[in-house]
Amino acid sequence: ECGYISLPAPIIRLGDPITVSCIINQNCTSLGPESQIRWKLDTELQPGGRQQHLPNGTLQSTITFPHFNYSRALLSCCLHWGNGLQILDQAELQAGYPPPPPYNLSCLLNLTTNSLKCQWEPGPDTHLSTHFTLKSFKSRGNFQTQEDSIPDCVPEDGQNHCSIPRKHLQLYQNMSIWVQAKNALGTSTSPKLCLVPMDMVKLEPPTLWALEPSPEVAPPQPGCLRLRWETWKPSLHIEQKCELRHQPQRGESSWDLVGALPSRSLQYELCGLLPSTAYTLQMRCTRWPLPGRWSDWSPRLELTTAQQ
Amino acid sequence: ECGYISLPAPIIRLGDPITVSCIINQNCTSLGPESQIRWKLDTELQPGGRQQHLPNGTLQSTITFPHFNYSRALLSCCLHWGNGLQILDQAELQAGYPPPPPYNLSCLLNLTTNSLKCQWEPGPDTHLSTHFTLKSFKSRGNFQTQEDSIPDCVPEDGQNHCSIPRKHLQLYQNMSIWVQAKNALGTSTSPKLCLVPMDMVKLEPPTLWALEPSPEVAPPQPGCLRLRWETWKPSLHIEQKCELRHQPQRGESSWDLVGALPSRSLQYELCGLLPSTAYTLQMRCTRWPLPGRWSDWSPRLELTTAQQ
Amino acid sequence: PLSPASSLPQSFLLKCLEQVRKIQADGAELQERLCATHKLCHPQELVLLGHSLGLPQASLSSCSSQALQLTGCLNQLHGGLVLYQGLLQALAGISPELAPALDILQLDVTDLATNIWLQMEDLRMAPASLPTQGTVPTFTSAFQRRAGGVLVVSQLQSFLELAYRVLRYLAEP
């Protein structure tokens, strides 16, 4: 080789000092006392290289960057030659931060895909390529002792979520989950989440329908509404409780809430409302009495109460 | 096994006759003279099974379908037992046609993807799963002798086109290309296409611009238009000729054509038109004098000729 | 008879009930597809084949309400689920259309078996070692796997019906 750059490390911490040296061999060119090694950072010539002729006839230059503040830079070792500069070697230098611990780790059990989807916050940019891995294991009582390991879940590039497939899950057993972040400068892990997958089930909202007036059934009383609802089909096997909220469409009144409703009703009469008034109704459900998450509110159902 | 169906072939030609037999073993159930084997096609009971007790104590029934006209059917061998039928074996029978030779094979060289995209007509439905493969080889002069083989190009399921990647192509050498169609009942091949990939280049249309009037240049004569154009960037290395067509926007007059124009002009004046009339212009180009395909016509440029 | 659920946590029983309902739904899904795709809709049409396959059955004799014996009942519940886990596993390769439904059913059966076993361990009711799956028939053709699927799922549904009644009885406050 004509010349070569030697770096202490290709990746350093942003702002850290770094000293780099370049050695040029005699077989490259005749190295007289006037030979001058010059450094370039990307395209900028850099002052301050300390040059010395080594006993074995090679020429060495060393340069120090007290606070290296480029997340990525190309360092070139050049030699004055004729009336120009000859580039003899290049090295890519990167700088950034070790990964901060990921945080806000949360998981939801998706009943359609049957997978446990976890997401997290990666924390500030490290300027370096950082890989996240969702790690977990099944454990009995106290979440500490690992029983069966679960294969790592590797998110797609740049994504901060990962889904553990059903075949790796025991839906009713304790599980410890955490995120590991890793780049060239270090590794960090998020706080551990201890959960039972089934308790993380997030239901889709129920569906509300107006009850069509029918000859056999007396019309609703003034200030009353009739409706029916059904929970989301994939959750039929889950015992749930639901909440109904309603408010007049016009005006600023807040929502009124009717709690602890069954997960399915073929006919429900809501009374105590203003007569001949247009109302907006929404419902949400949650797994109950076993733990679960509230679904989102259902799409709005608009009904008008019977006249006085 | 209780009973089993034996088919001469799981796939036959639509309309052909087929004779199927079912043999029931003694260890399945006691086979008295009153035992009766019945056949079902999907869910329909079929008349006409010929039944016989074989010397080894087994019971065999044979049924013939003179013209089997189902592209796919489920054949069940059943036995009267108690007051119902017992299903003892099932076999899936398919019928269709051997693949007709694919036709209308044509190819275009795409300069953006650098691949040779060929497409073809598959011919009438064979009712069977039929696989198409685009086969080709490089050959010297007469397209007959195969020199270098090219890996088969397998289209995505159900697609009737395939793209041979650049790394398998020699753009300026002869190539023989054909399509093979294959299903359970046979194989067929399309007529061979002999081509030189580069001669199949299909250019994207050129781009037309109006020339902005400028102080240094005298305004155009009445009945004249000024414009400029440039060919599609990836084809700049290809010598081309272009055609310009124009017609008044109003009225029914057909297109007028100006042929043999260069592939690039910074300033072109088109005269001999009606003064103060709005015209629509389009241009297309082709590789020339070397062989090539005309590009599509460019998007329309609308210009109005100078007044009298 | 033993007063129900004297030693079984309510949350355990509610989870088991939920799991049984899920497995019943999974089983119904598989039965629907076997009927639609392969015209195998009635187990009664496959009795002869069932005899020749020699499908083992699971008993819940210790769970009858007249003579409920809790440890024996839980053991039989767990043993039956392990048996069906093995039978469902033997159906692997049933057909591409049915494979996803069969996988989910198998996973859910395994989950319930594990829950019962872990609860028995917590209550020191579990036998010294896990029961083995026992001899499972080999299905030698695609038809046998599908017909076997109809028979196995039909038996599983009856088993679950009984199990559900027992669990409900045990969960009564």
Side-chain angles (χ1 to χ4, degrees):
Chain A
E1 279 164 346
C2 232
Y4 61 90
I5 294 176
S6 67
L7 294 176
I11 298 179
I12 61 170
R13 221 186 145 91
L14 205 59
D16 274 9
I18 184 167
T19 298
V20 189
S21 66
C22 176
I23 292 176
I24 298 185
N25 296 321
Q26 289 194 49
N27 57 20
C28 177
T29 176
S30 60
L31 292 167
E34 77 307 337
S35 302
Q36 184 65 40
I37 292 178
R38 300 301 307 276
W39 292 90
K40 272 190 182 174
L41 202 58
D42 291 334
T43 53
E44 298 295 322
L45 268 177
Q46 299 298 309
R50 295 179 306 285
Q51 184 173 303
Q52 53 177 332
H53 283 271
L54 300 181
N56 60 9
T58 59
L59 185 62
Q60 176 182 9
S61 170
T62 306
I63 188 168
T64 296
F65 299 92
H67 307 290
F68 193 80
N69 282 325
Y70 303 85
S71 64
R72 179 186 292 270
L74 201 60
L75 208 56
S76 302
C77 169
C78 313
L79 188 69
H80 264 301
W81 197 73
N83 48 20
L85 277 181
Q86 291 294 306
I87 302 173
L88 298 182
D89 193 10
Q90 274 187 341
E92 185 161 63
L93 197 51
Q94 284 184 64
Y97 301 106
Y103 59 98
N104 279 0
L105 173 61
S106 71
C107 300
L108 284 180
L109 182 66
N110 180 320
L111 282 186
T112 344
T113 59
N114 273 305
S115 60
L116 186 69
K117 181 176 179 183
C118 298
Q119 55 192 32
W120 59 85
E121 292 297 332
D125 183 7
T126 64
H127 303 294
L128 300 173
S129 153
T130 303
H131 295 286
F132 293 88
T133 309
L134 185 67
K135 289 175 172 290
S136 57
F137 60 77
K138 295 171 202 162
S139 70
R140 286 287 290 274
N142 58 12
F143 290 103
Q144 300 316 324
T145 46
Q146 165 162 350
E147 296 202 1
D148 309 334
S149 70
I150 293 174
D152 287 353
C153 188
V154 180
E156 280 169 37
D157 260 358
Q159 303 278 1
N160 290 315
H161 59 81
C162 202
S163 289
I164 302 174
R166 169 74 180 87
K167 63 180 185 232
H168 296 320
L169 298 170
Q170 271 184 337
L171 300 186
Y172 291 80
Q173 288 308 315
N174 295 346
M175 221 177 139
S176 268
I177 299 186
W178 69 99
V179 187
Q180 181 194 58
K182 191 179 182 113
N183 69 20
L185 296 181
T187 301
S188 70
T189 57
S190 73
K192 267 200 181 131
L193 206 57
C194 304
L195 56 83
V196 174
M198 201 56 199
D199 297 349
M200 297 294 130
V201 69
K202 170 89 184 288
L203 306 176
E204 289 299 318
T207 311
L208 294 181
W209 289 282
L211 261 189
E212 297 316 317
S214 79
E216 304 92 30
V217 180
Q221 301 293 322
C224 287
L225 288 174
R226 277 211 194 108
L227 62 145
R228 63 182 178 89
W229 63 83
E230 220 175 63
T231 49
W232 180 48
K233 195 165 180 307
S235 69
L236 284 178
H237 66 287
I238 297 175
E239 209 172 337
Q240 304 166 43
K241 73 174 177 184
C242 300
E243 268 178 4
L244 177 70
R245 68 178 185 181
H246 54 87
Q247 68 177 177
Q249 282 176 24
R250 250 185 243 94
E252 290 314 315
S253 38
S254 63
W255 292 99
D256 274 331
L257 202 72
V258 181
L261 293 169
S263 53
R264 190 164 169 272
S265 166
L266 295 176
Q267 175 177 308
Y268 179 78
E269 190 154 273
L270 177 64
C271 289
L273 309 175
L274 304 169
S276 57
T277 308
Y279 275 84
T280 301
L281 303 103
Q282 285 183 301
M283 178 174 272
R284 66 175 184 171
C285 301
T286 183
R287 183 178 185 229
W288 184 86
L290 292 171
R293 302 279 183 101
W294 281 102
S295 73
D296 297 334
W297 289 101
S298 69
R300 293 160 175 258
L301 177 67
E302 283 162 2
L303 293 178
T304 305
T305 48
Q307 283 160 351
Q308 202 55 39
Chain B
E1 274 166 347
C2 228
Y4 61 90
I5 294 175
S6 62
L7 295 176
I11 298 180
I12 60 170
R13 220 183 147 91
L14 205 59
D16 273 9
I18 184 166
T19 296
V20 191
S21 69
C22 176
I23 292 178
I24 297 184
N25 296 319
Q26 291 194 54
N27 58 18
C28 177
T29 178
S30 59
L31 294 168
E34 77 305 339
S35 299
Q36 185 65 45
I37 292 180
R38 300 300 306 274
W39 292 91
K40 269 191 185 175
L41 203 57
D42 288 335
T43 53
E44 297 297 323
L45 267 176
Q46 299 298 309
R50 296 179 306 284
Q51 185 175 300
Q52 53 177 332
H53 283 270
L54 300 183
N56 58 8
T58 60
L59 187 61
Q60 175 181 12
S61 171
T62 306
I63 190 168
T64 298
F65 297 92
H67 307 289
F68 193 79
N69 285 325
Y70 303 85
S71 62
R72 179 187 291 266
L74 200 61
L75 206 56
S76 300
C77 166
C78 311
L79 186 71
H80 263 300
W81 193 73
N83 49 21
L85 276 181
Q86 289 293 305
I87 304 174
L88 298 181
D89 196 10
Q90 274 183 340
E92 186 158 64
L93 198 52
Q94 285 185 62
Y97 300 107
Y103 61 96
N104 278 1
L105 173 61
S106 71
C107 300
L108 284 180
L109 182 66
N110 179 322
L111 284 186
T112 348
T113 59
N114 271 309
S115 60
L116 187 69
K117 180 176 179 184
C118 298
Q119 56 192 27
W120 58 84
E121 291 298 330
D125 182 7
T126 65
H127 303 293
L128 299 173
S129 155
T130 302
H131 295 286
F132 293 86
T133 311
L134 185 68
K135 291 177 170 289
S136 56
F137 57 77
K138 295 169 202 163
S139 67
R140 288 294 289 272
N142 60 9
F143 290 103
Q144 300 316 325
T145 46
Q146 166 163 348
E147 301 207 350
D148 311 331
S149 70
I150 294 176
D152 286 354
C153 188
V154 180
E156 282 172 35
D157 260 359
Q159 303 280 3
N160 290 313
H161 59 79
C162 204
S163 289
I164 303 174
R166 172 72 180 84
K167 66 184 180 208
H168 296 319
L169 297 172
Q170 270 178 339
L171 299 185
Y172 292 84
Q173 287 308 318
N174 294 346
M175 222 179 135
S176 269
I177 299 185
W178 69 96
V179 186
Q180 181 194 61
K182 195 181 177 100
N183 68 20
L185 295 182
T187 302
S188 70
T189 56
S190 73
K192 270 203 182 127
L193 204 59
C194 305
L195 56 84
V196 175
M198 202 54 201
D199 298 350
M200 298 295 131
V201 68
K202 170 92 183 289
L203 307 176
E204 289 300 317
T207 312
L208 296 181
W209 291 279
L211 261 190
E212 297 317 318
S214 78
E216 303 90 26
V217 180
Q221 300 296 323
C224 288
L225 289 173
R226 279 212 191 106
L227 62 145
R228 64 182 177 88
W229 64 82
E230 223 175 63
T231 49
W232 178 48
K233 202 163 180 316
S235 68
L236 285 180
H237 66 288
I238 297 175
E239 203 178 342
Q240 304 168 42
K241 71 174 179 183
C242 299
E243 273 177 0
L244 177 70
R245 69 177 184 181
H246 54 87
Q247 68 177 180
Q249 283 180 22
R250 251 183 247 93
E252 291 314 317
S253 36
S254 64
W255 292 99
D256 275 332
L257 203 72
V258 181
L261 293 170
S263 56
R264 188 164 169 273
S265 165
L266 294 176
Q267 175 178 308
Y268 179 75
E269 191 156 273
L270 177 64
C271 289
L273 308 174
L274 304 169
S276 59
T277 307
Y279 276 84
T280 303
L281 303 102
Q282 284 184 302
M283 179 174 271
R284 65 174 184 172
C285 301
T286 184
R287 182 175 184 233
W288 186 83
L290 291 171
R293 301 285 184 94
W294 281 102
S295 73
D296 297 336
W297 289 102
S298 71
R300 293 161 176 258
L301 178 68
E302 285 166 358
L303 292 179
T304 304
T305 48
Q307 285 159 351
Q308 201 58 34
Chain C
L2 190 78
S3 75
S6 55
S7 54
L8 291 176
Q10 188 69 1
S11 69
F12 164 70
L13 290 166
L14 289 176
K15 283 180 191 172
C16 287
L17 285 166
E18 183 175 274
Q19 285 185 276
V20 169
R21 289 193 295 267
K22 176 65 165 46
I23 295 169
Q24 287 172 317
D26 296 341
E29 165 87 10
L30 192 55
Q31 286 171 311
E32 258 165 57
R33 286 171 182 248
L34 277 165
C35 184
T37 318
H38 301 294
K39 310 287 185 289
L40 293 173
C41 306
H42 311 294
Q44 314 85 303
E45 288 178 326
L46 298 166
V47 171
L48 265 187
L49 187 72
H51 292 165
S52 76
L53 290 172
L55 295 178
Q57 300 241 12
S59 138
L60 285 176
S61 55
S62 302
C63 300
S64 69
S65 51
Q66 293 84 23
L68 176 65
Q69 204 275 326
L70 190 58
T71 304
C73 176
L74 287 179
N75 254 310
Q76 284 185 326
L77 255 178
H78 176 261
L81 290 168
V82 168
L83 171 71
Y84 283 111
Q85 204 183 319
L87 287 170
L88 292 170
Q89 219 157 358
L91 295 174
I94 189 165
S95 82
E97 302 91 345
L98 301 175
L102 180 63
D103 289 346
I104 290 292
L105 174 59
Q106 215 180 314
L107 284 165
D108 287 340
V109 166
T110 305
D111 260 17
L112 179 53
T114 305
N115 281 357
I116 293 173
W117 179 261
L118 293 179
Q119 187 62 55
M120 286 161 70
E121 276 191 339
D122 289 349
L123 295 171
R124 311 272 178 281
M125 284 178 168
S129 64
L130 267 168
T132 59
Q133 274 173 359
T135 54
V136 169
T138 47
F139 301 104
T140 55
S141 71
F143 167 69
Q144 283 196 359
R145 274 187 290 279
R146 292 167 195 153
V150 172
L151 293 168
V152 166
V153 175
S154 155
Q155 284 171 13
L156 174 59
Q157 296 286 33
S158 319
F159 176 83
L160 291 173
E161 207 46 55
L162 250 177
Y164 195 76
R165 262 185 256 128
V166 172
L167 290 165
R168 279 211 85 97
Y169 173 71
L170 292 173
E172 274 162 18

